[in-house]
Amino acid sequence: MRLVHLDLKGAAPRVSYLEQVFPLLTQLGANGILIEYEDMFPFKGELEILKSPYAYSEEDIEQIQQLAELHKLEVVPLVQTFGHVEFILKHEKYHHLREVERFPNSFNPHVPDTLALLKSILSQVIDKHRRSAWIHIGADEVFHLGEGMDSKNWMSHNRGDTGTMYLKHIKEVLAFITTQYGGLRALMWDDMLRKISVGALRGERVGTEMVAPETLVHVATLASVVPMWFASAFKGTTGPAQTWPPLSYHLKNHLSWLKVMQALPRLAPLHFQGIVLTGWQRYDHYSVLCELLPVGIPSLAICLQTLVNGGFTEETKRKVLDALGFQSMQLEQSTCEGRGAFPGAEIYHMVEQVNGHLKESILKALEEESAIKGWFSPYHRKHQFGNPRNMESFGSKVLKLHEDWESFVHDLRAHLERVYFPDMVEEWMEENINPYMDQLRDLVRDYR
């Protein structure tokens, strides 16, 4: 299986955009999607507080699954059950469930309310995904586990360590899933398990399938205990504020995984079941947005086709270019040339313009134009005086620059609004456009 990760804890696309993207995913070689809903799920009742104002409706969730089914994409919902639960623990109502009172990252596994809440969350998500054969329970990066007073007391009274405590909670979550939803298979990330001995894992019989070991040694040891998946990345791993995916970096990541897969027959009876191509949209609930999905599609196309074809040959490259409507690509420069004919291609090109020209052209005008520095300094602007002769020497150029970028920003906003909800559009503009445009706007206002 080749699952494409849709991380909805930031920049969740409208369903109308997913409708355009799903056929492309299938064409490129995906046969499933891993959906990390977080606050985009339409929680009801007591849990309604967890919903984003722009959360999908129940009808949206159904439509997403129907579209996936239409394009032969298996749907795997992901619900974080231990760490990365800021979207839950940020609410005052759930502060008492934090492992460490100051931090909203991780659950305290010793408070009975924690498991009760998780059962409620899992039930609502699973009940809306009755056609899914898998549920992903996250369980990665449980920061500060063992640092809370309840955990310290538990470890001292039970002669346990954080690994034992971690497994105890995971087994309780899995026991609920098995009891309530027999036949549903569970997936989880493996990073916390790497710190636990194989002997301890064997003794515990975890009863889940594992995603994402980093080395062949981990693959061989962990897979002797649980079935194994792998996880790569097509975007969202090279910096929390990254706006453009480095193509060669992500390609190399997949070529490395292919080597691991080719070595698997020597590790019999190991059998791996699939790979998740992760595409993080935020590093956590509080971080800024990283690369947008339309901007990441060329990287995703390269990575999927590399997996399908067992390498990245000239033929693979040609297939990617044809599928995306590009003429050529420069992997080391992370650029693709041509108009592009994939969903969101306009956003791809416009973000490229923002990265390559917006900041540079505005800062150049503000900082390198000698007439501005000499006759229209912050002092001149504060006290509102200047020599018209010298001001006119740079005025038309600055006004034209302002007019051109305002027109561009207007078009970019329109394209973003077709794909995304208003909160995301505002956030992306605030982070990537306004720091530079506001300087230019202020200069033009003072000039006028």
Side-chain angles (χ1 to χ4, degrees):
M1 294 199 68
R2 291 179 289 271
L3 304 185
V4 173
H5 176 220
L6 296 177
D7 180 16
L8 305 184
K9 63 176 176 281
R14 295 178 185 272
V15 178
S16 55
Y17 182 70
L18 295 177
E19 187 174 2
Q20 298 171 58
V21 168
F22 283 3
L24 178 63
L25 298 185
T26 306
Q27 181 189 348
L28 292 170
N31 50 22
I33 46 173
L34 176 68
I35 309 183
E36 186 165 356
Y37 286 109
E38 207 179 70
D39 60 358
M40 285 302 291
F41 187 82
F43 291 108
K44 293 192 300 187
E46 286 280 302
L47 301 180
E48 198 165 341
I49 191 175
L50 303 179
K51 266 178 23 178
S52 156
Y54 298 100
Y56 294 140
S57 66
E58 291 186 23
E59 293 73 26
D60 290 335
I61 300 294
E62 179 58 28
Q63 191 184 350
I64 289 168
Q65 291 176 89
Q66 286 177 4
L67 289 167
E69 208 170 313
L70 179 66
H71 298 290
K72 298 180 170 55
L73 295 167
E74 181 91 34
V75 176
V76 181
L78 188 156
V79 176
Q80 285 286 2
T81 56
F82 213 161
H84 283 297
V85 283
E86 298 93 348
F87 84 103
I88 300 168
L89 298 183
K90 71 178 183 182
H91 296 286
E92 195 174 342
K93 179 180 178 179
Y94 298 120
H95 280 191
H96 68 292
L97 302 183
R98 295 175 173 188
E99 169 70 359
V100 175
E101 193 180 346
R102 284 177 57 223
F103 305 132
N105 304 71
S106 307
F107 277 126
N108 175 345
H110 311 288
V111 183
D113 285 357
T114 292
L115 194 60
L117 176 62
L118 281 172
K119 287 177 179 180
S120 182
I121 290 171
L122 284 163
S123 295
Q124 289 202 18
V125 174
I126 294 170
D127 287 344
K128 286 281 173 276
H129 293 82
R130 286 301 198 163
R131 284 164 285 191
S132 293
W134 284 276
I135 176 80
H136 196 307
I137 62 167
D140 59 318
E141 297 185 336
V142 187
F143 299 132
H144 310 293
L145 181 62
E147 293 177 20
M149 196 48 69
D150 287 347
S151 288
K152 287 176 180 174
N153 289 337
W154 186 90
M155 287 189 288
S156 67
H157 290 134
N158 294 276
R159 294 182 181 173
D161 56 18
T162 53
T164 319
M165 198 162 57
Y166 175 83
L167 288 176
K168 178 178 178 292
H169 176 72
I170 293 303
K171 284 182 71 183
E172 286 172 346
V173 170
L174 293 171
F176 166 72
I177 292 169
T178 307
T179 307
Q180 292 296 117
Y181 304 95
L184 191 62
R185 296 160 74 180
L187 287 162
M188 63 186 286
W189 305 122
D190 84 309
D191 59 292
M192 297 298 291
L193 291 167
R194 282 181 233 150
K195 303 164 189 172
I196 303 169
S197 73
V198 175
L201 284 172
R202 280 205 181 100
E204 290 289 345
R205 280 280 149 229
V206 184
T208 180
E209 297 177 34
M210 200 77 57
V211 184
E214 285 184 338
T215 70
L216 216 45
V217 176
H218 284 124
V219 175
T221 52
L222 285 175
S224 65
V225 185
V226 287
M228 186 63 63
W229 291 57
F230 299 146
S232 58
F234 69 93
K235 75 177 188 75
T237 57
T238 53
Q242 185 85 8
T243 54
W244 199 257
L247 295 181
S248 61
Y249 175 90
H250 291 295
L251 172 59
K252 284 170 188 166
N253 179 233
H254 286 79
L255 292 172
S256 298
W257 276 116
L258 279 175
K259 285 182 183 171
V260 174
M261 292 172 199
Q262 285 152 10
L264 288 180
R266 303 200 304 272
L267 298 172
L270 174 59
H271 174 66
F272 99 99
Q273 300 198 298
I275 185 164
V276 178
L277 292 88
T278 62
W280 307 99
Q281 194 53 77
R282 294 190 198 277
Y283 275 34
D284 72 23
H285 186 77
Y286 285 90
S287 69
V288 298
L289 296 165
C290 43
E291 307 101 308
L292 299 177
L293 182 56
V295 173
I297 281 179
S299 175
L300 176 59
I302 289 166
C303 297
L304 271 171
Q305 280 292 295
T306 296
L307 293 175
V308 170
N309 295 297
F312 191 71
T313 61
E314 280 302 314
E315 187 190 354
T316 310
K317 186 176 179 180
R318 175 47 50 200
K319 285 180 181 174
V320 171
L321 292 171
D322 289 347
L324 300 182
F326 285 131
Q327 271 74 59
S328 61
M329 66 172 71
Q330 307 300 325
L331 289 175
E332 293 306 321
Q333 286 76 44
S334 299
T335 55
C336 297
E337 291 78 30
R339 189 169 175 195
F342 61 91
E346 302 89 354
I347 292 173
Y348 174 88
H349 285 302
M350 295 181 99
V351 171
E352 190 174 25
Q353 283 285 98
V354 170
N355 285 346
H357 304 295
L358 178 89
K359 175 181 175 182
E360 184 187 343
S361 67
I362 291 175
L363 293 183
K364 188 173 180 182
L366 268 55
E367 294 172 7
E368 293 180 22
E369 180 67 57
S370 63
I372 292 177
K373 292 182 80 120
W375 282 272
F376 203 53
S377 72
Y379 185 80
H380 290 91
R381 292 166 64 185
K382 181 180 178 183
H383 295 285
Q384 298 185 314
F385 79 102
N387 185 332
R389 176 184 176 277
N390 299 87
M391 287 175 66
E392 284 170 10
S393 71
F394 67 80
S396 58
K397 193 193 298 184
V398 165
L399 292 174
K400 178 77 167 70
L401 183 70
H402 174 248
E403 183 187 342
D404 289 348
W405 279 122
E406 287 290 13
S407 171
F408 172 88
V409 168
H410 179 269
D411 290 346
L412 172 58
R413 179 181 283 275
H415 284 296
L416 287 173
E417 284 172 348
R418 281 200 275 275
V419 173
Y420 293 110
F421 298 98
D423 59 339
M424 172 272 154
V425 177
E426 284 311 314
E427 180 182 350
W428 201 87
M429 300 297 259
E430 285 281 351
E431 289 288 338
N432 298 286
I433 301 289
N434 294 353
Y436 312 106
M437 283 301 294
D438 285 350
Q439 293 181 62
L440 184 59
R441 288 163 181 154
D442 288 348
L443 183 83
V444 168
R445 179 200 63 214
D446 291 350
Y447 173 82
R448 284 184 171 138

